[in-house]
């Protein structure tokens, strides 16, 4: 069922139920009002007749014997001081508590039993000073067929008015529901059409934001999603182009050299074999980095954290950094906090992060520059940074530095062996540790990458271990 149909159906149902409830209450109130009106118009006459009959009942030894004479004669008028003149006189009917007629202006009605509806319209009579019901008084007109026709006509007209009101309200609710449903579903239909176009390959889809409500927010979210899809699609296209280019370069070099030797039927010289080996290493490194990116995206990057003495840890492979730095006359400075706590991380992945940052710093630092590695902590994180005095980056370049295959200087990066995946992998490894990485840079001044890794927390780690066990058990089932 369409949303517009549901809206109209719900509005119609609510209106109908409301109309039925209001109509029932209205009919009940109008019926009571009619009865109250009759009661008020007859109160004086009924009151005087009630006094007359009550006195008669007491004087007659608490009996209604002979009460019919009260209706047909005025012999009691002098005795009881009744002030009823013929111009004001309206006869009443007396019935006993069971509804049997005891006194009526017309003799033929004596002894008949009235229905419950007439009893409910009667005025009760009680013994003097007691709650004992001794009968009811009814206006004689209640026994006339014309009276009930009048009441029924009144109630019928009231019912018709209620029905017409409910029908009119239903019609209005349907019309309003149609307009409301159309206005509500129009932007949703536009969204559906745009989503279908996206599924057919169109990513740059936008919808007009017409409402400042939840639907408007949905449209804004859709436009944001569309922009992200466009950006992701462009990045995917660029990613494949970059991968193809990076793979093509070493493969072309290897294939070209081997083909040339096969055509000439010559053996490879040692220097040629060395060049081919370098290209193979480059190709292997690219494949490894692509595998790392794939694992990070899939959330399958294995992280086995332990407490690491960062100073000793870095000294173990500092010789690799130092040799490269000395060859280019770059000064490497280490600035570690004196009471530096242990770093809680996976040693292999931490080494990869540090080497990526240091290698990146050396790559973009001019000869004779400086590279600084700092390590310290605060109450929450173990922090280390790598700063260089290299070419630096603009603010725009900093915003893209963690994107795959992004290079601030493509020709320079390719010459120095960069693939454009190092910073993306570094960010993925840091985030896999539950940390974050930030970059600050200034063009022609230098760049600083800062890594924040959570400090060891025994309680948090115990909780995480339990969750990991539950997850493993669940996957095992």
């Amino acid at each position: 069922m369409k949303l517009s149909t549901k809206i109209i159906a719900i509005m119609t149902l609510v209106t109908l139920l409301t109309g039925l409830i209001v109509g029932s209450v209205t009919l009940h109130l109008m019926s009571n009002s009619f009865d109250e009106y009759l009661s008020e118009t007859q109160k004086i006459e009924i009151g005087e007749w009630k006094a007359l009959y009550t006195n008669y009942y007491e004087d007659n030894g608490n009996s209604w014997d002979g009460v019919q004479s009260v209706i047909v004669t005025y012999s009691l008028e002098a005795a009881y001081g009744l002030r009823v003149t013929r111009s004001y006189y309206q006869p009443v009917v007396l019935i006993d508590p069971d509804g049997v007629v005891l006194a009526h202006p017309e003799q033929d009605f004596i002894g008949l039993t009235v229905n419950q509806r007439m009893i409910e319209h009667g005025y009760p009579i009680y013994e003097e000073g007691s709650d004992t019901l001794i009968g009811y008084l009814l206006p004689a007109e209640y026994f006339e067929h014309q009276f009930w026709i009048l009441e029924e006509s009144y109630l019928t007209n009231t019912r018709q008015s209620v029905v017409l009101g409910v029908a009119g309200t239903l019609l209005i609710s349907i019309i309003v529901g149609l307009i409301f449903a159309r206005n509500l579903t129009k932007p949703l239909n536009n969204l559906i059409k745009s989503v279908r176009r996206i599924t057919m390959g169109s990513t740059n889809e936008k919808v007009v934001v017409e409402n400042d409500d939840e639907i408007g927010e949905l449209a804004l979210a859709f436009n944001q999603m569309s922009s992200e899809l466009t950006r992701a699609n462009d990045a995917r296209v660029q990613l494949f182009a970059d991968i193809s280019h990076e793979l093509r370069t070493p493969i072309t070099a290897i294939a070209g050299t081997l083909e040339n030797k096969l055509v000439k039927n010559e053996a490879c010289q040692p220097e040629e074999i060395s060049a081919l080996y370098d290209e193979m290493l480059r190709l292997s490194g690219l494949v490894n980095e692509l595998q790392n990116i794939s694992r990070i995206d899939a959330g399958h990057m294995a992280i086995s954290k332990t407490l690491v003495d960062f100073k000793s840890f870095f000294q173990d492979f500092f010789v690799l950094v130092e040799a490269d730095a000395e060859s280019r006359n770059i000064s490497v400075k280490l600035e570690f906090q004196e009471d530096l706590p242990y770093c809680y991380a996976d040693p292999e992945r931490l080494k990869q992060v540090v080497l990526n940052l240091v290698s990146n710093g050396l790559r973009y630092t001019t000869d004779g520059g400086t590279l600084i590695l700092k390590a310290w902590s605060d109450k929450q994180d173990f922090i280390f940074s790598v700063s260089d005095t290299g070419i630096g980056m603009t603010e725009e370049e900093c915003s893209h530095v963690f994107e795959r295959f992004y290079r601030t200087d493509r020709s320079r990066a390719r010459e120095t062996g960069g693939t454009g995946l190092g910073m993306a992998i570094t960010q993925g490894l840091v985030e896999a540790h539950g940390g974050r990485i930030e970059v600050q840079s200034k063009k022609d001044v230098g760049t600083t990458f800062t890594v924040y890794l959570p400090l060891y927390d025994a309680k948090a780690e115990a909780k995480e271990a339990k969750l990991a066990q539950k997850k493993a058990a669940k996957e095992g089932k």
Side-chain angles (χ1 to χ4, degrees), residues 193-208:
K193 293 177 182 177
S194 296
V195 170
R196 287 175 177 168
R197 285 194 290 267
I198 287 178
T199 60
M200 296 175 66
S202 175
T203 57
N204 191 19
E205 287 290 330
K206 294 290 188 297
V207 294
V208 178

Side-chain angles (χ1 to χ4, degrees), residues 92-361:
V92 296
V93 177
L94 173 67
I95 62 176
D96 66 12
D98 296 325
V100 178
V101 177
L102 300 177
H104 192 284
E106 297 182 19
Q107 188 69 28
D108 295 340
F109 285 93
I110 302 299
L112 295 179
T113 301
V114 302
N115 56 39
Q116 186 64 30
R117 184 180 178 186
M118 291 186 67
I119 294 177
E120 291 173 356
H121 281 73
Y123 296 82
I125 304 175
Y126 299 94
E127 285 186 5
E128 187 70 26
S130 172
D131 293 334
T132 302
L133 181 66
I134 58 176
Y136 295 93
L137 289 179
L138 292 169
E141 62 184 12
Y142 280 18
F143 287 77
E144 298 176 5
H145 182 65
Q146 187 65 30
F147 171 81
W148 296 107
I149 293 177
L150 176 63
E151 182 183 41
E152 188 60 34
S153 175
Y154 170 77
L155 295 178
T156 299
N157 291 335
T158 302
R159 280 192 290 269
Q160 290 177 350
S161 299
V162 171
V163 170
L164 289 175
V166 172
T169 305
L170 278 175
L171 180 61
I172 293 173
S173 69
I174 292 173
I175 295 173
V176 173
L178 284 170
I179 297 173
F180 176 72
R182 181 174 299 175
N183 292 335
L184 179 64
T185 57
K186 181 180 177 181
L188 294 178
N189 289 331
N190 292 336
L191 279 173
I192 292 172
K193 293 177 182 177
S194 296
V195 170
R196 287 175 177 168
R197 285 194 290 267
I198 287 178
T199 60
M200 296 175 66
S202 175
T203 57
N204 191 19
E205 287 290 330
K206 294 290 188 297
V207 294
V208 178
V209 181
E210 299 178 347
N211 304 310
D212 185 19
D213 53 16
E214 288 81 357
I215 295 180
E217 291 180 5
L218 177 61
L220 286 173
F222 175 84
N223 290 339
Q224 292 174 357
M225 180 196 70
S226 179
S227 298
E228 286 299 315
L229 282 175
T230 302
R231 189 189 67 79
N233 186 63
D234 293 342
R236 178 177 60 84
V237 173
Q238 185 63 43
L239 176 65
F240 283 114
D242 287 336
I243 291 175
S244 299
H245 177 79
E246 293 295 336
L247 290 174
R248 186 183 300 114
T249 301
I251 290 174
T252 300
I254 295 171
T257 301
L258 293 177
E259 182 182 9
N260 183 50
K261 292 300 178 181
L262 288 172
V263 171
K264 294 181 179 180
N265 195 24
E266 295 178 353
C268 291
Q269 299 300 316
E271 61 273 13
E272 292 174 331
I273 295 177
S274 178
L276 291 175
Y277 181 69
D278 288 341
E279 291 299 327
M280 287 297 299
L281 290 178
R282 181 178 176 184
L283 185 60
S284 177
L286 177 59
V287 171
N288 287 335
E289 289 187 337
L290 289 173
Q291 287 179 336
N292 285 333
I293 284 289
S294 177
R295 291 191 188 101
I296 290 172
D297 287 345
H300 295 158
M301 179 61 71
I303 300 294
S304 300
K305 293 191 285 186
T306 186
L307 293 174
V308 178
D309 183 350
F310 195 79
K311 293 181 181 179
S312 301
F313 163 79
F314 184 72
Q315 289 296 334
D316 290 341
F317 59 87
F318 177 67
V319 62
L320 301 175
V321 177
E322 193 174 32
D324 189 12
E326 286 180 356
S327 67
R328 297 173 51 201
N329 195 27
I330 295 176
S331 174
V332 179
K333 296 181 179 180
L334 305 180
E335 298 179 6
F336 295 156
Q337 179 181 312
E338 290 186 4
D339 55 344
L340 187 66
Y342 280 83
C343 177
Y344 189 55
D346 184 319
E348 287 299 319
R349 302 306 179 188
L350 180 61
K351 179 180 179 180
Q352 191 174 354
V353 169
V354 175
L355 282 178
N356 279 353
L357 293 177
V358 172
S359 298
N360 184 77

Side-chain angles (χ1 to χ4, degrees), residues 463-473:
K463 184 177 180 180
E464 184 176 340
K466 288 182 179 179
L467 292 175
Q469 290 177 356
K470 289 182 180 179
K471 183 178 179 181

